[in-house]
Amino acid sequence: MGIQITPSLLNADFANLSAEAARIPSADWLHMDVMDNHFVPNLTLGAPVIEALSKAADQPIDAHLMIADPDRWAPAFAEAGAGSITFHVEAAAAPVRLAREIRGQGARASMALKPATPIEPYADLLPELDMVLIMTVEPGFGGQKFLDLCLPKIRRTRALLDQVGGDVWLQVDGGVSVETIERCAEAGADTFVAGSAVFGADDPGAMVETLRDLAVSACGH
Ligand code: DX5
Ligand code: ZN
């Protein structure tokens, strides 16, 4: 898989999610941020909203679960129609069992790491996953400043994924914009979440293509 742009709808108009999705027709996925006010200090939406949007939108749903007890709740998001489900490893009691359960339901299984969580303890889990998400802000809110301190971890994760082989995607999320996307692509990311950069733009659809062009030229694909 090459470069993918997966806009976050956290900064979109929540009263018109399907219309917002239609403004970004070339987005590869719709990134939906699920927050529970336990794992992060914010509260957003749950499986019923994902289910409604998965029926109304053309793009598949990339559900980012920033919630406590994903072992308990993640399967409901597969049932709701999400094509990719990301759990935080800091919150998962049994990440291998959880990844297998998500895959068993026919969805892609993805593991997220907060900025201070290292990848190395999880190196042996990588073959169980379809994607790794490296957070480049502390999760919880859109519009935060990109943390450059996460770039070495993106590089180390890319090196581990290259060792493992296969096609595990490497996603970055938080503060991704025209200013920062090239740094992420050069470090080895291939899947890019952008919230405020896309939905704060005059033309969100054009911004998706601008971000894609920058990432493609930065990684030389
Ligand atoms: C933050 C969320 C992100 C957020 C990104 O916790 O996981 O997906 O929407 O927003 P920006 O791109 O504005 O940092
Ligand atoms: Zn997210």
Side-chain angles (χ1 to χ4, degrees), residues 8 10 31 33 35 64 66 135 139-144 173-175 193-196:
S8 163
L10 189 60
H31 181 92
D33 290 299
M35 305 187 190
H64 178 191
M66 286 161 277
M135 290 298 304
F141 301 93
Q144 300 181 77
D173 180 9
V193 178
S196 50

Side-chain angles (χ1 to χ4, degrees), residues 6 8-10 31-35 62-66 86 88 133 135 137 139-141 171-174 193-194:
T6 61
S8 163
L9 277 78
L10 189 60
H31 181 92
M32 297 296 285
D33 290 299
V34 178
M35 305 187 190
D62 170 32
H64 178 191
L65 307 185
M66 286 161 277
T86 299
H88 270 267
L133 165 51
M135 290 298 304
V137 298
F141 301 93
Q171 186 175 60
V172 285
D173 180 9
V193 178

Side-chain angles (χ1 to χ4, degrees), residues 52-148:
L53 188 61
S54 77
K55 288 176 182 151
D58 292 333
Q59 306 95 325
I61 307 264
D62 170 32
H64 178 191
L65 307 185
M66 286 161 277
I67 61 173
D69 204 2
D71 306 71
R72 158 80 175 81
W73 291 105
F77 290 85
E79 281 161 28
S84 175
I85 298 174
T86 299
F87 60 85
H88 270 267
V89 73
E90 303 90 349
V96 173
R97 185 174 64 207
L98 180 54
R100 289 184 179 183
E101 192 173 354
I102 291 169
R103 282 176 153 182
Q105 287 181 294
R108 296 177 60 86
S110 163
M111 178 181 80
L113 277 63
K114 299 204 294 184
T117 305
I119 185 66
E120 286 76 12
Y122 308 106
D124 292 340
L125 272 64
L126 297 177
E128 300 286 335
L129 301 168
D130 298 299
M131 185 167 81
V132 176
L133 165 51
I134 305 289
M135 290 298 304
T136 43
V137 298
E138 290 290 355
F141 301 93
Q144 300 181 77
K145 191 175 178 316
F146 181 83
L147 294 172
D148 279 285

